[in-house]
Amino acid sequence: MAFDPATLTYTSDGLIPCIAQDVEDGAVLMMAWMNAEAVTKTLETGRVTYWSRSRRAFWVKGESSGHVQELVDLRVDCDRDCLLAVVRQTGPACHTNRRSCFYTSVTHGDEVELMRPMVD
Amino acid sequence: MAFDPATLTYTSDGLIPCIAQDVEDGAVLMMAWMNAEAVTKTLETGRVTYWSRSRRAFWVKGESSGHVQELVDLRVDCDRDCLLAVVRQTGPACHTNRRSCFYTSVTHGDEVELMRPMVD
C-alpha cells in the first residue's frame, strides 16, 4: 500500500511525535515533532526533518550543528499517531552534546546522570 | 537530586509522552502517555502505568492482557518533556499482538509489515 502522510493521525496542532533510534545499537536518541510536510521532506531527502514548535519552522536536524540524522527506516505505529525514525546519527543527538537526550535516570528516587557531553 | 514528577513538563492536558524500550535488545515497543500520578505509580509499583486518553483512566499495562511491562529504568529527556521507560516486556507490547507497535515500515513509498502477531 502506498504511504500517504495525510493518513497519519496528527494532534490538533497538526503534529505527530517522532522517536529517533540509532541504527547501530538501538539507543533511543531523542523525540521531536513532525508535521505532514516534515514527514514528506524526511522521506524525500533522507535527512530527518522535524518541525520546531518554538521557532515554528522546519528543523533539518544537524543543519547548523552538523549532527545530522540520515534516515535508515521510517516506521509508523499501530494507531498511526507516532513515528519511529531509525537513523544513522552523526555526533551527539542532544543539544547538550550528549549522545542521547535521555541521559538522566531516575534511580532510587534520585536523578542520576548516565552520560557526559561528547567531545568533538 | 531527588526526582519530583511535578518538575516535568506536561502538555496542557497534563500529559507527557513515554517511550517503552525493551531492555533485552533495545527494541522500541510503543509510545503512550502518562500524567504525574501515573509517573509516580510506575516508580512506586515497578509496573509501567500509563494514562489512557480514551478511557480517561490509569492503564496498568498488561493488567487485563497479562502483557505487563516491568520497569527496569525510567529516564527523563533534556527538556523534561518526554520519558523513556526501559522495560522487561512479557509477551507482545502491541494490542495487535505484535511485539512492537512499530511494525509498519515506509519503504520506497510503500507500507511494509515487518512483523506478524505473536502466537501465545
Side-chain angles (χ1 to χ4, degrees):
Chain A
M1 186 174 70
F3 172 72
D4 179 357
T7 64
L8 299 175
T9 299
Y10 298 90
T11 66
S12 56
D13 296 327
L15 301 175
I16 185 167
C18 180
I19 302 157
Q21 182 182 33
D22 196 304
V23 69
E24 297 293 340
D25 66 355
V28 175
L29 299 173
M30 58 182 284
M31 192 278 272
W33 297 81
M34 292 184 178
N35 57 18
E37 202 173 339
V39 174
T40 299
K41 284 178 184 289
T42 295
L43 289 168
E44 285 181 356
T45 64
R47 286 283 181 92
V48 180
T49 302
Y50 302 100
W51 176 258
S52 168
R53 294 176 298 172
S54 55
R55 290 189 292 115
R56 303 192 62 77
F58 291 108
W59 167 28
V60 181
K61 173 68 181 161
E63 197 172 36
S64 53
S65 67
H67 301 151
V68 296
Q69 292 179 338
E70 178 194 338
L71 184 70
V72 176
D73 193 18
L74 188 69
R75 298 191 189 148
V76 179
D77 83 342
C78 53
D79 292 332
R80 303 182 75 79
D81 65 359
C82 189
L83 299 172
L84 174 65
V86 181
V87 304
R88 190 159 285 116
Q89 171 74 50
T90 299
C94 184
H95 75 287
T96 67
N97 277 333
R98 289 173 179 85
R99 184 175 173 227
S100 163
C101 295
F102 297 95
Y103 57 83
T104 303
S105 168
V106 179
T107 302
H108 304 306
D110 281 323
E111 297 194 15
V112 175
E113 190 179 302
L114 298 177
M115 55 193 97
R116 296 293 306 154
M118 292 170 73
V119 178
D120 284 326
Chain B
M1 185 174 71
F3 172 72
D4 179 357
T7 63
L8 299 175
T9 299
Y10 299 91
T11 66
S12 56
D13 295 329
L15 300 175
I16 185 168
C18 181
I19 303 157
Q21 182 182 34
D22 195 305
V23 69
E24 297 294 340
D25 65 354
V28 174
L29 299 173
M30 58 183 285
M31 193 281 272
W33 297 82
M34 293 185 176
N35 58 16
E37 203 174 339
V39 175
T40 299
K41 284 178 185 287
T42 296
L43 288 168
E44 283 181 357
T45 64
R47 286 282 181 91
V48 180
T49 303
Y50 301 100
W51 176 258
S52 168
R53 294 177 297 173
S54 55
R55 291 190 291 114
R56 302 191 63 76
F58 291 108
W59 167 29
V60 181
K61 172 69 182 161
E63 197 172 37
S64 53
S65 66
H67 301 151
V68 296
Q69 292 179 339
E70 178 194 336
L71 184 69
V72 176
D73 193 17
L74 188 68
R75 298 191 190 149
V76 180
D77 83 342
C78 52
D79 291 333
R80 302 181 77 80
D81 64 359
C82 188
L83 298 172
L84 174 66
V86 181
V87 304
R88 190 160 284 116
Q89 171 74 49
T90 298
C94 184
H95 74 287
T96 67
N97 277 332
R98 290 173 178 85
R99 182 171 175 232
S100 163
C101 295
F102 297 95
Y103 56 82
T104 303
S105 168
V106 179
T107 301
H108 303 306
D110 281 324
E111 296 194 16
V112 176
E113 190 178 302
L114 298 177
M115 55 194 95
R116 296 294 306 156
M118 291 171 73
V119 179
D120 284 327

